[in-house]
Amino acid sequence: IFQGVSHNRSICDLSFHYCGLADNRIFSILTPFFKENHNFESLKINGCDLGRDGLHLLTTALTEFDSLKEFELSRCGKDHDGSYIQALTGHSGLRKLSLCENRIGRNGYAVLATLLQNPNTELHVLVLADNEIDDERVVVLATGLTENSTLKELDLSKNPFITE
């Protein structure tokens, strides 16, 4: 099916929920889809354990195009260094970013802060629920919020380590 999708130019929204993406070749196979489908606006990956290799391939795929308006990466495990978030900075039309239950590392929050500070950002919704965010990471994130004028919704629910 992925070979067929890779040649499609009309799909706007692509979702993977609790799929077996263990070999992670999917992102390489779908590179032509990402590059050539100018209608593509939404990528949702939920409950798929990508592992370090899968995140690297996803990051590479995200740099191949710039049309995303919505990106969701939820319940995909492990502490991440933020490289896939960095790859999203090229998507200037990104309006919704949902990163629930990913235990994002400190560097990931620094990249998010930079994304929020970008005067060209159109981000309206940022969902960081259930990421074990602590006060240190909130301070990093807050640096990006002080100069942001586009964000309308910020979800920090289910983060019991935020005390300040």
Side-chain angles (χ1 to χ4, degrees), residues 54-70:
L55 282 172
H56 175 72
L57 291 169
L58 172 62
T59 299
T60 301
L62 289 171
T63 62
E64 297 292 333
F65 66 107
D66 61 3
S67 61
L68 279 181
K69 292 183 180 175
E70 181 177 357

Side-chain angles (χ1 to χ4, degrees), residues 75-111:
R75 295 174 195 92
C76 291
K78 317 301 184 282
D79 185 16
H80 307 305
D81 65 1
S83 58
Y84 67 94
I85 301 169
Q86 180 68 42
L88 292 169
T89 60
H91 296 263
S92 59
L94 189 65
R95 290 188 174 86
K96 181 176 182 182
L97 178 57
S98 181
L99 303 172
C100 300
E101 296 183 52
N102 285 318
R103 288 178 243 122
I104 301 164
R106 188 179 196 289
N107 187 54
Y109 287 97
V111 174

Side-chain angles (χ1 to χ4, degrees), residues 20-76:
L21 303 178
D23 68 3
N24 296 309
R25 292 178 313 131
I26 184 170
F27 300 116
S28 298
I29 293 169
L30 291 176
T31 296
F33 171 79
F34 293 140
K35 280 183 173 180
E36 304 299 328
N37 184 347
H38 303 290
N39 295 309
F40 185 55
E41 298 180 345
S42 177
L43 178 59
K44 299 171 188 161
I45 304 170
N46 186 324
C48 304
D49 187 8
L50 301 178
R52 187 167 304 280
D53 291 342
L55 282 172
H56 175 72
L57 291 169
L58 172 62
T59 299
T60 301
L62 289 171
T63 62
E64 297 292 333
F65 66 107
D66 61 3
S67 61
L68 279 181
K69 292 183 180 175
E70 181 177 357
F71 179 72
E72 176 182 325
L73 183 68
S74 298
R75 295 174 195 92
C76 291

